[in-house]
Amino acid sequence: MKKVEIFDPAMCCSTGVCGPSVDPNLTRVASAVYSLEQKGVNITRFNLGNEPEAFAENGAVNEVLQEKGADALPVTLLDDQVVKVGEYPTNEEFSEWLEIKGEELTQKPKVRVSINMDK
């Protein structure tokens, strides 16, 4: 199984999807990551503000940061290899790397609600 790791810049929360003005790209990435997790894909995000040790311990990410600085974030690894620097992966890239259909990244979760009207 392929492994995806996204090393985010320092953000206020784990997804960056909070506050008064939300970047739609962060919303898309958070949604794609959630969908992939639900499918059992090995995908992890690391936030520089909350998990700096993950950045320091990963040789590939550390090398990018040494060469280009924190402005190079986000950095995306696929099976421990840097595949994207300075931008989040597109849904097309996720689907290509993980060999899944692009629409699987945008499907809304189906939730069943049971209501008892007998009372």
Side-chain angles (χ1 to χ4, degrees):
M1 174 184 285
K2 294 183 179 184
K3 174 176 73 169
V4 177
E5 295 171 290
I6 300 172
F7 290 81
D8 291 304
M11 297 188 291
C12 56
C13 64
S14 63
T15 61
V17 183
C18 53
S21 60
V22 176
D23 180 348
N25 198 34
L26 285 174
T27 303
R28 179 193 58 78
V29 170
S31 177
V33 168
Y34 175 80
S35 294
L36 291 168
E37 287 173 336
Q38 297 307 301
K39 295 183 180 319
V41 173
N42 185 358
I43 186 164
T44 309
R45 288 179 76 179
F46 300 97
N47 180 334
L48 180 59
N50 298 334
E51 303 158 292
E53 68 282 352
F55 291 72
E57 293 170 358
N58 186 294
V61 173
N62 200 318
E63 186 175 319
V64 169
L65 291 174
Q66 292 296 323
E67 289 177 12
K68 300 181 180 186
D71 289 340
L73 297 173
V75 173
T76 304
L77 304 183
L78 177 64
D79 293 332
D80 301 317
Q81 301 297 312
V82 175
V83 291
K84 190 108 180 187
V85 174
E87 296 179 318
Y88 286 100
T90 63
N91 285 2
E92 292 78 17
E93 288 169 323
F94 278 130
S95 61
E96 180 184 319
W97 297 336
L98 301 168
E99 300 171 4
I100 61 170
K101 295 178 184 172
E103 54 268 13
E104 292 182 57
L105 296 170
T106 57
Q107 289 177 340
K108 304 277 190 260
K110 293 180 182 176
V111 178
R112 285 210 161 120
V113 177
S114 177
I115 300 174
N116 185 349
M117 303 292 282
D118 294 336
K119 293 184 180 184

